[in-house]
Each structure stands twice: as structure tokens, then as C-alpha cells.
Amino acid sequence: MAEPAPPAEELALRRRLPPRLPRRPGDVYVNMQTDFRAQLSRCRKLLGPGGGCAEIWIHGLGLAIHRAINIALQLQAAGAGALRLAPSTSTVELADGLEPPGHPDGRPPLARARNNSAIHIRVCRAPPTP
Amino acid sequence: NTSMCWEINVKDYVCTHDIEGCAGCWGSFQEMPASTFAQARAAEINAMLKAVTQKSSNSLVFQTLPRHMRRRAMSHNIKRLPRRLREIARKEAEKAVHQKKEHSKNKCRKARRRHVNLVVEFNRRQKKNIWLETHIWHAKRFHMVKKWGYCLGDRPTTKSYRACYRAMTKHCLLQDLSYYCCLELNGKEEELLKVLARMCSIDTGPTFAAVPCLSGRLQGSLVLYRADRYPEDVLGPITFIWKPKDGSGIPYETRQLWIWTHPSLKQDILTELKAVFQCSEPVETCSPEPIVTLLQEEKQTDVAMSVSKKRKREDHEGEKAVPVKKIIGDGTRVPLQSYCWTSQTTGVVISDLTMEILRYRLIGPLSHCVLTEALKTASVQTEMADAETELNNWWVENCKNSEKVSLHQRQEAIFELLQGISSPSEIAAGTILGLTVGDPRVNLPKKRSKAMPNPEKYQDNEKVRQLLLEGVPVECAHSFIWDQTICKNVTENKIPEQDLNHMRGELLVPGSQLDLGPRESKIPILLVQQPGKVAGEDRPGWGSGWDIYLPKGWGMAFWIPFVYRGARVGGLQEGLKHSEYKRTPHVPNDFPDCPAGIQFAKELENILLEKFKRRPPAKRANYVKLGTLAPFLCPWGQLTKDWEVRNKTQEESVVTSSADSKSCATESQVPCDLKPGLMIEDSQGDMMEEMTKIQNLCKEDGAATSSGFFVLRSRKLLKQLSAWCRPTCGKGQRARPASKLGQKEMTEDALLPIFKCYPQVLVWVSLSLLRKGSPELHAMICIPTQEDYLQLNKDQLFCGPQEPKHSDIFKHKILKLKERKKNNRKALESGASDALEAKAVEEPKELILGLWPDPLPDVTSHCSRILLGFVTQGDFSLAAGCGEALGFVNLTGLLHMLSSQPADKKGLVLLRTPASLQYRFARLNIEV
């Protein structure tokens, strides 16, 4: 009695949220919706005198990678040598939900795995260089 | 003459300084006869006396006394009043006594607050409107409303609009959705599916037969229609859960299906289900239990009454007085009526499980933390606590089977994994997880705390990955909550709060963890993931969370632990906001084509009209002048009809001059180049076939389609429309070739069949304002003119055009009517009978100043901009940071607008709130 599976192009891909770790006060997840200046000023505030963070982590995923790099570089440029960057990259596994999920035979795949690159930049105050 | 003299007379006594000026009068005074003078004075004195004795003001007698004569407690003790006023005061006091309610003042407060009497009182009050189990908790903290036969919390009494929003996005918002109704269908799978397929359509999305839902892994949601009536006659949206198969592999197994509906839709859906399944015979099995409880209750109320009469009850009687049972579940049920129906031919059983299963909703990313901290999975138990009680006997029975124990352990493992997932939206939408948990009251924290994610639990392990990709396995969706006997057992064998506290008090180390051991109750529950925002581009997964289903009787036992873990509680208003930010239609506000939606709109109109009429005419908006035809009720029927007429006249004009269609074609050719020619033909061919099919369908019941409007819910067409609504070129738009989705172009051939098939159709749209403005309820969605686009191009800060002021053509009429009424009244007073007749003849419909009387003119072209639709939810959106609105537009109008819009301005509309002349630009989106 199962309904016939709709053709492949009709399966709507619903992108789910990427997995993320619990957020410490110094974690900044960069996205493409928020204004660039707002994100930059947020990082600045965190690093500034009242921010209370000795180091911050800027995370960028996929399209937002270049923006994360941009923010970090701008911070460094504005910091006049007082900040040090320590970038690291990783691969994040994303899941895309399929809707309407349904396959007549066997276990229907609910999600499709997909990999995307991510960057994590640690920005910390550099020790006074001799 | 006499009055003149009186004046002089007074002057004679009172003022002496002006005598010489009046000297000329003296002569006439002496000529006056004494009798007439005395008569006139007597009348005046009478009037004065009357005025003195009858007080004209609304105040009580003792309030009229001058301040120095007032005494303490005058209102209670009339003997404190001056003797001359006592009689009047006595009468007033009597009146006041009559006006007061005869309320239970006969009992003192202490007696009223005694537990037995309280429960009796609560039970009495629950007979009319159903109380949720958290009612008392809510009543202390919420504005309560009576809706749909329930008492529900509307909004918190504290200021928490923004705090609730924050809880939804960052923390956890808790809602009691126990008022949602559960209908259970029991029968052979084939039989159920065959009939239910008639009530929904695959066009609108996955149906009851979708594989993951049918296996019991996922919760499904769909819109029900009257049997074989798609796309008209909507019954309403539902969610459904199939009980997972036992795994025995029998093909013709009986299956259990839960259909969850909103209470306003329940009656319609239930009657339709009963009719479709031919279930008419009530099943007797359900009825005996409520009778017994009722009889008991009556007896007990009697006992309680007798107890309360005697202030100090004697000991032996007190022992007899068994505490009255609290009502658990639906208190309004009629005892002899059955809530279970079966059919002779198919054997399908429909039962109404309203208030049998409780449902709480947790919204927000921290709902995982709240759930995992508040609930502890039940420990495996192989020995009974007491041989006599039935407590946990089902669980002990279950634990003897090693397979079932391993299943329980797997469920437990998955539940533990949830801690390592930071948001519910990472899991597949509608995932079901069955669970058996221990008593959540046992590990209640001492203080209210906030559950925070534990970083240690976040391990990038394989198991979490598997859970995210493959979801919860089918077996783990199994829960004992499906078994009604177990639920009943669990409800009846709950340890009362009092006993639990007593045991806590007897602990050796005060404040240490209570260990009930084998006596701890085991409660079967069901966890269902609620997908948040699934449609649209921005904020994916916003507002996702978990629903928790509990057996009845355990409401407060789970509620308090959740609240103590930092969940903020919201009411109906918060639910409305949640769906608004998710951009999903809210039940029943946004279902104008289903009976509950129509009913809701009517009620809303009455409320708004009453509110409008309460203000003085000069202080309220004159909607006639503002050009708002229907500020309180959206005239969907007339809107669709007017557009149909408009479309017909336009078609005729198009036939004569095809210039319009040419321009349309040239526009659409721009993105056309992007895609391979073959594809177009293919997809168009497909679509044309589809269209002809639909057309045939429409012809079959063509008579019915013309009768009323309905809302478009076909996924395919909505996707098509959604693609057409997006601007095809312009700033900030990445090239999104339409061909990618197999979409076809917006040409005359594509539009014509749609016009033909869906003449009176509404489409659910979401609007976000470009700049200023926050839309309101019933705001109008209009089509911009060419000049508006030009102005917008010229001036980036252009807010929008203004509607020219209309003239109030009814004002004159109303004034005339008023005058005539006045005249009539005068005539009546004079006693002329012909005036009465005249009045009976002419009594037109009541005209209200500022409102358009009932037969509305053409709604689409009443204002300077052509009307497209109305807003049903609109507000400043905290989530988007700008004004956002949700509403319906007419499909014909929408297509006309889109075909005439320039490519970079596609989907741009104007919004105008009912009480304003200012139009504002907004972007229209259709999210599928």
C-alpha cells in the first residue's frame, strides 16, 4: 500500500543545521546573512578591554570561509601587531534531509551526507615581541 | 411679573445696598393679591423639598454627608448615620445584599481552602470547560482564556514578550499542548489506508502511506479534506503517528494510528472519519469506568458537604470521608455517552482519546539539555515491590524478556546521545523515540536552575553521526504508551505528591537523593521531534524542538522538573508568535477555507467591531475615508470573485489586442536563454499533460468549483509559483537559473490552464517589508503601479505612495437617519400611530459611522492600487529584524501582477494597514 516513490528531482533537499559545539563566550560563528561590519565589531568588542576574552575563535563554514579570514585579517591589521592568528582547517560533515522521504524498497535514506570545508581561526593577543 | 417681584422681595431681605435702584417697583408689589403669590411660592418650595429628599447622584447616602459628619464603618452599621437618613440607608443596604452573589460566603475562608472542599470546588468548575492538568499552575501566572471548551493560558502576566522569543531561539520554551485532541484509529492497515487516501491528496505532500511514516519512524503531517473532495472542503491540518509494527511480519496486521488535531477542528474531522469508515456503533467497553467515578464523586461530594456543615467533624466520620478524587482527563464527558465507535463491515475502531494523552512542547536548542537532565530512563526491574499492588507489574513482566530489555537499553543509549547534539533541528524532521522513564520528581533540583550543554558529551563519535544520518531505528520508536491498559495502570498507581514529600522528609540525610528502589514508577513516554522552519532560505531549523507525550495524570510531575531546568513557559500568544516567525499557517486563524477558520474569522470580526463601536465616533478611524472596505473581516469570497470577473474582461481585451502578451513574452525570454532548449520542451510537455489532466478533473466537478474559494496546497504548483516570484536579475541576486528545478517559463500557454483550473484560489504568501513599517492584522496587499517602480528606482529611500483620501458618502445618510429617528421619537411621544407604521416601513440596515455597509463594491479596484489579498498575521519580526507579514493573495491576481512586473522587481507588492493611507513596499515570497 506504500505510495510510489516520487521521481528523484521532486525530492526536496532540506538542508539541516551543521553540527556545532556548545558556544563559549569567545566563539564567533561567521555567517553570510549578518552585516560584515557588525560581525567585525563584535569580534573587536570581544577582544577589547571590556570584552573579557583573551582569545577568540572565528569559525567559518563553506561560503563564509573567506569572510572569516577577512574578519581575522582586518582584526590583525587594526591591532597593529598585537594580535596573532592561528588558523586551522577541518572538514564538516553535513546532513541533508530528503523530503518527501520515501523509497519503495529497503530502508529509505532520510539524509544524505555531504562534506564541506571549514576554517577555525584562533585570534589571541600576541606576547610582546622583542 | 410675579417673578420680578419675588426677586425684589429677596433683595429686600438679603441685600440692602441697592434699594434705591428698585424703588420704582414698590408700587406694583403692593398691588399683588396674596393668594397667587402664596401658590407660586408653594410650588417652588415643593420642588426644593423634592430635590432635597431625592438624591440625584449615584452615590450612597452616607457618601453625601459632609465630611465632618461621616463616621467610621458607616457603610456597615446604619446606626452610625443620622437618624433622618437611616431609612434610606437601610433600603440601600438591602439592595446591595441582593446584588451580591450568593457565593459560598456561608463558609469561612479557612473552610473554603480546606483541601477536600477545594477539590470539590475545582471539580465543579471543570465541568463546563476542560482544565488541563497544569491549570492551577497556569492560572497563577497567566491570563487565562476560555477557548474551544478549554481553559487555556493566553500569555504570561509578567512582561515577557521578548524573553519568550529569546527562549525560543537560544534556550527553551515550554508549552502545554494537552488541549490538542487525539483520535485513535484501529484496524487493518490496508483498510485504513484505502479509506484515508480518499481524505488527502499526494499533491499536497506525503500522505498517510509515506513509507517512513507508515513504518512508525516519523511523524507525518498533512491537510485533511472531506472524502473525495480535494481540493475543496478542507477539514484542517493534522499530524499523525503510526504505531510501529511489532515485527512479527504478518501482512494483515491491525495497526494503530493516532491523528492529532486542534480542538476547533476535532468535531468536523471526527464526524467525517466516522462517516467515511461507517463507524456508527458505540463500543460499550469505554463507558462503565466514568460512571463509577461519577457515582463515587457524587457520594463523596455529599460526604464533603456534610463534613463542611459541621465545623468540627467527629473523628469516626472524618475517617469515613474519603478524599474526593481529582478529575483526571476530560471532566466534561457525559458518563453514559460512548467515546469509541466501531464499524461492522470493516472492523475499524475509532476512539476519541481527548485528554487521555498529555502533550508538552519544548522549543529551542536547549530542549535537549532540559529533556536529558529532567528525565532518567527507567531502571530494569525484575522483582515486584509489593505482591498486592499492581504498581509496575507491566514493567516487571517486560523486563523478564531479554529482547525487550535490550531494546530498552538501545532506546536509553539513543536518548543519552541527544546530549551531544546541540540543536533538535540537526535530527530528521518528525523523528519518534519511545522511552520508559523513571519518576522525574525524584531527582528534582532544590532550586530552579538552567540546564546548560555539557561540552564533555560532545564527542565527535560515530554514533552521533549515524543518528544524524540514519535517524532513530524503527524498533526504538516503540513505546508502551500505545497500550491503554498500561497507561491506565501507570495513571492509577502514581505515588501522590504528599507521600513523596513524606518520604523525602524521612530521609536520614536531609536533602539527599530519594531512592524509591522498586517502588519508583515507570512511565512510558513518546518523544517526537518537531521540525522548526523547514521552508524558505533563511533561518533553517529555527524554532525546532521536541514534543513529549505522557499518559494522563502525570502532568504536573513532568511539568515542574522541566520548569526547574530552566524552561520558560509560554501560552497561546507565544504559540502564535512561534508559528509567525516560522512562517507557517496557524490553526485556526490561517485556514479561511475550513469551517473552524470561518468560525474564527466571524468571532474575531465581532470582537473587533465591538471594540470599534466602544469608542466615540469622532475618536475612531473612519475606514470609509481611508478606503478600507473590510477592516475586520477579510472578504475572501468576494475578492476571488472580483478577480475572476476581472480576469474574464481582461482576457477579452487581450484577444482583441495582443500587445500585452507580446511584452510578457519578451520579458520571459531573458532567463530563457540560460537553459537548454530540449529541457524546456520536455518539462513543458509534462506540465501541459498535467494541466490537461487537472482540467479534466476540474470539468468533472466544475459546478462545485465555482461555488467557493479554496487555498492552493498543491506542492508542484506552489513550487512553480515560488520560482516565478523571485526576481530573476538584479543586485545581490545570484544567478539562479530556473531550469535547475525543471521549472518552466511564465508564458501565456503556462498561465492559461492555471487561470482556467483555479479561478477562485488563494495562495499562502509571506511578505517582508523593504524598509519602514510594521504590518497589522487585515492589512491589504496591493499591486504597485508603474510609477511606483520608477519612484523606487529613482529614490532608494522612497517609502511608498499614499492613498488619496476618499470621501465618506455615508456620513450624510447617517446624519439624515439620525434626524429622522429623532423626529420619529418625537412623533411617538405625541402618540401618533402612523409614525410607528412609517418607522416599520423604513428601517434600513444599521449604518455605522466609519464602516462600509454590507454589500461591498468591487474590492479589487476600490483604491488607487489594485487589491491582491489580505494579511492574516503581521507584526515586527524579532527574528528577521523588520516588519513581516503572512497572508493570502488571489492566484489570478498574483499571476497577472507577476507577468506585468519588470524582471528585477518581481514579487514586489505594496502593503497598507487598515487605519493608514500610506503604502509600504514589501517583497512577496512563497515558501514551499
Side-chain angles (χ1 to χ4, degrees):
Chain A
M1 278 308 284
E3 68 189 26
E9 62 264 25
E10 275 194 27
L11 288 173
L13 268 182
R14 302 273 189 216
R15 285 193 287 168
R16 292 198 212 136
L17 283 184
R20 61 162 62 169
L21 295 170
R23 187 183 267 176
R24 292 161 293 178
D27 276 320
V28 178
Y29 286 87
V30 173
N31 63 13
M32 294 305 284
Q33 273 98 45
T34 315
D35 187 38
F36 177 80
R37 278 168 301 169
Q39 301 193 31
L40 183 63
S41 75
R42 195 160 123 221
C43 295
R44 233 178 241 148
K45 263 183 205 159
L46 283 174
L47 280 171
C53 291
E55 54 163 27
I56 60 169
W57 287 86
I58 301 173
H59 307 270
L61 173 69
L63 191 63
I65 288 177
H66 77 269
R67 186 172 262 204
I69 295 170
N70 204 349
I71 286 177
L73 289 176
Q74 294 237 354
L75 281 175
Q76 199 185 27
L83 293 177
R84 208 179 55 194
L85 306 184
S88 59
T89 55
S90 69
T91 305
V92 176
E93 194 166 61
L94 303 171
D96 289 331
L98 289 169
E99 193 188 278
H103 269 280
D105 44 3
R107 286 171 67 176
L110 283 173
R112 211 158 58 182
R114 173 167 62 93
N115 289 327
N116 210 340
S117 321
I119 193 165
H120 314 276
I121 309 169
R122 178 165 166 258
V123 184
C124 57
R125 296 207 187 91
T129 44
Chain B
N1 205 4
T2 51
S3 67
M4 185 86 153
C5 293
W6 173 241
E7 196 183 323
I8 291 153
N9 205 6
V10 169
K11 264 184 191 163
D12 199 22
Y13 287 106
V14 181
C15 62
T16 48
H17 62 274
D18 208 7
I19 285 177
E20 66 268 31
C22 303
C25 292
W26 277 109
S28 58
F29 177 70
Q30 277 153 359
E31 283 164 25
M32 209 183 140
S35 61
T36 48
F37 176 76
Q39 259 176 10
R41 295 300 79 68
E44 272 166 16
I45 288 165
N46 268 340
M48 277 203 295
L49 277 177
K50 205 177 167 192
V52 168
T53 48
Q54 270 187 358
K55 59 183 186 62
S56 57
S57 66
N58 230 351
S59 54
L60 296 171
V61 173
F62 64 89
Q63 287 170 330
T64 57
L65 277 174
R67 213 160 272 279
H68 70 276
M69 287 176 77
R70 294 200 192 163
R71 294 292 176 269
R72 191 172 56 82
M74 228 172 202
S75 56
H76 292 292
N77 191 354
I78 48 168
K79 290 196 173 154
R80 285 171 184 265
L81 281 162
R83 194 168 285 170
R84 62 186 169 85
L85 294 178
R86 272 185 205 163
E87 192 60 20
I88 310 168
R90 201 176 52 78
K91 269 181 203 158
E92 269 175 4
E94 269 172 16
K95 213 195 260 170
V97 166
H98 282 301
Q99 276 174 354
K100 246 183 217 163
K101 273 189 221 157
E102 286 134 61
H103 194 55
S104 55
K105 276 286 175 201
N106 48 359
K107 284 184 216 159
C108 65
R109 184 185 149 79
K110 199 179 168 191
R112 270 182 283 140
R113 303 297 298 174
R114 201 172 285 145
H115 183 74
V116 188
N117 297 346
L118 259 188
V119 173
V120 171
E121 179 67 11
F122 286 167
N123 284 354
R124 184 186 64 76
R125 276 150 62 186
Q126 285 181 58
K127 291 268 158 67
K128 242 184 234 159
N129 289 291
I130 303 173
W131 281 10
L132 307 185
E133 281 183 24
T134 53
H135 176 87
I136 303 289
W137 191 95
H138 271 100
K140 287 173 182 169
R141 295 162 180 87
F142 277 68
H143 294 287
M144 303 298 283
V145 287
K146 294 197 170 77
K147 257 188 179 174
W148 313 305
Y150 294 82
C151 277
L152 302 172
D154 190 35
R155 58 189 194 281
T157 47
T158 53
K159 280 187 186 176
S160 58
Y161 178 80
R162 198 172 283 260
C164 284
Y165 165 71
R166 243 180 258 136
M168 271 185 251
T169 33
K170 290 184 182 153
H171 309 300
C172 177
L173 188 85
L174 178 62
Q175 263 184 301
D176 190 351
L177 292 189
S178 306
Y179 62 91
Y180 268 68
C181 304
C182 178
L183 304 175
E184 191 184 81
L185 302 187
N186 245 322
K188 289 205 182 81
E189 180 182 310
E190 218 174 40
E191 202 68 55
L192 287 176
L193 283 179
K194 198 176 78 192
V195 179
L196 286 172
R198 291 168 58 199
M199 294 181 69
C200 52
S201 166
I202 199 157
D203 286 356
T204 60
T207 59
F208 287 102
V211 177
C213 300
L214 189 60
S215 66
R217 291 178 76 190
L218 298 186
Q219 174 192 253
S221 64
L222 49 82
V223 179
L224 274 190
Y225 290 84
R226 274 189 205 288
D228 306 322
R229 297 286 299 155
Y230 175 82
E232 299 151 57
D233 285 340
V234 182
L235 285 171
I238 57 149
T239 57
F240 64 91
I241 305 175
W242 286 96
K243 184 187 174 184
K245 283 176 192 163
D246 287 333
S248 44
I250 311 161
Y252 298 110
E253 210 182 332
T254 53
R255 295 290 302 268
Q256 225 170 321
L257 170 70
W258 276 354
I259 294 179
W260 283 85
T261 71
H262 192 270
S264 61
L265 313 169
K266 180 187 128 189
Q267 217 46 53
D268 294 326
I269 291 179
L270 187 62
T271 43
E272 182 67 17
L273 278 177
K274 278 200 306 199
V276 170
F277 282 104
Q278 299 159 355
C279 291
S280 48
E281 288 163 43
V283 179
E284 290 302 314
T285 49
C286 300
S287 45
E289 191 220 354
I291 297 172
V292 174
T293 52
L294 193 94
L295 284 178
Q296 265 179 0
E297 233 163 61
E298 272 173 10
K299 227 189 281 164
Q300 279 152 5
T301 37
D302 286 344
V303 171
M305 291 294 269
S306 66
V307 166
S308 58
K309 264 176 199 161
K310 292 171 195 165
R311 281 271 169 91
K312 287 183 183 171
R313 49 185 163 172
E314 292 144 42
D315 275 358
H316 62 273
E317 206 183 332
E319 273 164 25
K320 258 191 231 164
V322 197
V324 185
K325 241 190 184 171
K326 238 172 40 182
I327 292 182
I328 297 170
D330 189 349
T332 58
R333 287 199 168 183
V334 187
L336 284 173
Q337 206 174 320
S338 161
Y339 289 88
C340 215
W341 302 269
T342 184
S343 126
Q344 290 254 303
T345 50
T346 54
V348 174
V349 181
I350 301 177
S351 40
D352 178 4
L353 294 187
T354 307
M355 297 301 292
E356 296 291 307
I357 312 269
L358 304 180
R359 180 174 170 187
Y360 294 158
R361 174 166 289 178
L362 294 150
I363 304 165
L366 289 195
S367 46
H368 278 158
C369 304
V370 172
L371 273 179
T372 45
E373 276 200 28
L375 306 181
K376 291 278 169 285
T377 42
S379 50
V380 175
Q381 180 186 350
T382 45
E383 277 172 32
M384 293 288 287
D386 295 311
E388 296 132 43
T389 59
E390 285 190 331
L391 176 74
N392 291 343
N393 61 354
W394 60 275
W395 182 243
V396 172
E397 209 48 39
N398 177 56
C399 285
K400 281 175 187 158
N401 189 340
S402 64
E403 255 179 51
K404 285 182 177 169
V405 171
S406 80
L407 174 65
H408 174 67
Q409 278 158 353
R410 280 165 68 195
Q411 286 178 339
E412 190 178 347
I414 288 176
F415 184 63
E416 292 293 318
L417 279 183
L418 288 185
Q419 280 184 316
I421 298 168
S422 61
S423 164
S425 56
E426 289 173 28
I427 303 171
T431 303
I432 299 173
L433 175 63
L435 212 58
T436 310
V437 296
D439 196 332
R441 294 172 293 179
V442 172
N443 51 2
L444 194 70
K446 271 188 218 106
K447 266 186 186 173
R448 189 168 177 230
S449 56
K450 201 165 130 190
M452 288 308 278
N454 183 4
E456 280 174 23
K457 298 279 176 187
Y458 283 77
Q459 285 146 1
D460 193 13
N461 60 10
E462 198 59 23
K463 276 184 192 162
V464 172
R465 201 181 144 253
Q466 202 181 352
L467 177 64
L468 293 186
L469 283 182
E470 291 178 10
V472 176
V474 189
E475 313 88 77
C476 292
H478 174 264
S479 167
F480 291 103
I481 202 171
W482 288 98
D483 194 335
Q484 277 189 31
T485 52
I486 289 177
C487 276
K488 210 173 138 195
N489 182 342
V490 169
T491 305
E492 281 168 2
N493 290 313
K494 183 189 168 195
I495 306 173
E497 196 80 6
Q498 197 184 4
D499 295 2
L500 208 67
N501 287 336
H502 201 70
M503 280 187 262
R504 265 200 204 115
E506 280 175 356
L507 278 176
L508 280 178
V509 185
S512 63
Q513 179 92 28
L514 186 66
D515 187 16
L516 289 175
R519 291 178 57 207
E520 187 180 342
S521 325
K522 313 286 187 287
I523 307 115
I525 61 166
L526 207 59
L527 291 170
V528 179
Q529 196 257 10
Q530 287 299 319
K533 195 170 174 307
V534 281
E537 305 263 298
D538 55 336
R539 290 183 275 126
W542 186 91
S544 57
W546 286 89
D547 273 12
I548 172 167
Y549 296 76
L550 311 167
K552 69 174 175 184
W554 282 88
M556 281 315 284
F558 279 79
W559 187 260
I560 295 293
F562 287 150
V563 173
Y564 267 51
R565 257 62 178 217
R568 180 175 276 276
V569 181
L572 293 177
Q573 286 304 314
E574 278 67 38
L576 183 68
K577 283 285 161 246
H578 179 230
S579 76
E580 191 181 319
Y581 294 155
K582 268 197 325 182
R583 302 200 192 125
T584 49
H586 191 254
V587 194
N589 311 20
D590 299 326
F591 288 84
D593 49 347
C594 85
I598 295 167
Q599 174 76 15
F600 174 85
K602 269 184 198 155
E603 278 165 20
L604 185 70
E605 189 202 10
N606 281 338
I607 292 169
L608 292 177
L609 189 64
E610 281 307 308
K611 205 173 165 194
F612 180 76
K613 278 202 228 160
R614 271 205 297 269
R615 317 207 86 196
K619 298 281 182 292
R620 60 195 188 197
N622 188 334
Y623 288 115
V624 181
K625 277 188 179 172
L626 289 164
T628 311
L629 286 180
F632 307 136
L633 178 77
C634 303
W636 300 118
Q638 197 176 353
L639 179 82
T640 48
K641 247 173 228 153
D642 286 348
W643 265 108
E644 199 184 1
V645 173
R646 238 185 133 77
N647 189 32
K648 266 179 197 156
T649 51
Q650 268 186 8
E651 260 174 28
E652 279 158 22
S653 67
V654 161
V655 169
T656 50
S657 66
S658 57
D660 206 7
S661 64
K662 264 183 196 168
S663 71
C664 182
T666 47
E667 267 165 32
S668 54
Q669 263 161 20
V670 180
C672 187
D673 301 333
L674 291 168
K675 61 180 185 179
L678 264 173
M679 274 281 287
I680 316 170
E681 279 178 10
D682 262 356
S683 61
Q684 269 190 356
D686 264 5
M687 200 63 176
M688 283 312 289
E689 252 175 52
E690 195 89 1
M691 283 301 168
T692 44
K693 252 191 238 165
I694 295 169
Q695 247 172 324
N696 289 339
L697 261 176
C698 289
K699 266 175 209 159
E700 276 170 23
D701 46 15
T705 26
S706 59
S707 64
F709 66 91
F710 59 89
V711 175
L712 185 68
R713 295 197 174 89
S714 151
R715 283 270 175 109
K716 210 171 196 175
L717 199 54
L718 281 175
K719 259 184 204 164
Q720 180 81 74
L721 284 173
S722 156
W724 282 341
C725 280
R726 290 194 202 114
T728 38
C729 65
K731 197 183 79 169
Q733 282 290 326
R734 277 191 291 158
R736 201 186 280 115
S739 61
K740 203 168 132 193
L741 298 164
Q743 303 290 9
K744 57 186 190 129
E745 286 317 313
M746 202 159 117
T747 53
E748 205 72 349
D749 328 345
L751 292 184
L752 268 179
I754 300 178
F755 284 148
K756 278 227 176 97
C757 287
Y758 302 104
Q760 296 193 7
V761 168
L762 299 174
V763 188
W764 172 252
V765 295
S766 71
L767 306 138
S768 60
L769 279 109
L770 288 193
R771 293 174 210 301
K772 272 172 75 169
S774 88
E776 280 168 20
L777 190 71
H778 299 162
M780 289 159 280
I781 306 168
C782 306
I783 302 177
T785 57
Q786 294 298 329
E787 293 94 73
D788 296 338
Y789 297 128
L790 285 179
Q791 285 241 309
L792 188 67
N793 268 347
K794 251 189 259 168
D795 180 10
Q796 278 302 310
L797 295 175
F798 179 55
C799 287
Q802 289 251 349
E803 171 75 21
K805 220 181 214 174
H806 295 231
S807 65
D808 188 351
I809 44 172
F810 299 103
K811 199 171 183 178
H812 194 61
K813 266 189 198 168
I814 289 171
L815 282 179
K816 242 188 196 168
L817 265 179
K818 230 183 201 174
E819 202 116 296
R820 208 175 291 165
K821 242 183 202 171
K822 222 186 239 169
N823 288 342
N824 275 347
R825 208 176 295 147
K826 268 184 196 165
L828 260 180
E829 274 169 18
S830 64
S833 61
D834 54 345
L836 255 175
E837 278 166 30
K839 202 185 173 190
V841 169
E842 56 92 33
E843 185 69 29
K845 265 186 193 168
E846 200 190 352
L847 287 172
I848 303 163
L849 185 69
L851 285 184
W852 201 281
D854 215 4
L856 298 177
D858 183 9
V859 285
T860 53
S861 56
H862 182 69
C863 297
S864 61
R865 306 295 185 278
I866 297 163
L867 186 74
L868 206 59
F870 294 98
V871 165
T872 56
Q873 289 180 48
D875 199 355
F876 182 84
S877 164
L878 293 175
C882 64
E884 279 206 319
L886 301 167
F888 291 97
V889 295
N890 183 266
L891 177 67
T892 322
L894 180 70
L895 291 175
H896 271 293
M897 182 190 85
L898 291 175
S899 61
S900 63
Q901 271 179 328
D904 61 328
K905 295 275 189 293
K906 283 239 188 292
L908 222 56
V909 289
L910 288 172
L911 266 186
R912 182 163 74 96
T913 50
S916 154
L917 290 172
Q918 179 76 47
Y919 287 98
R920 308 250 180 219
F921 278 107
R923 181 163 297 291
L924 182 141
N925 257 319
I926 294 174
E927 292 179 342
V928 199

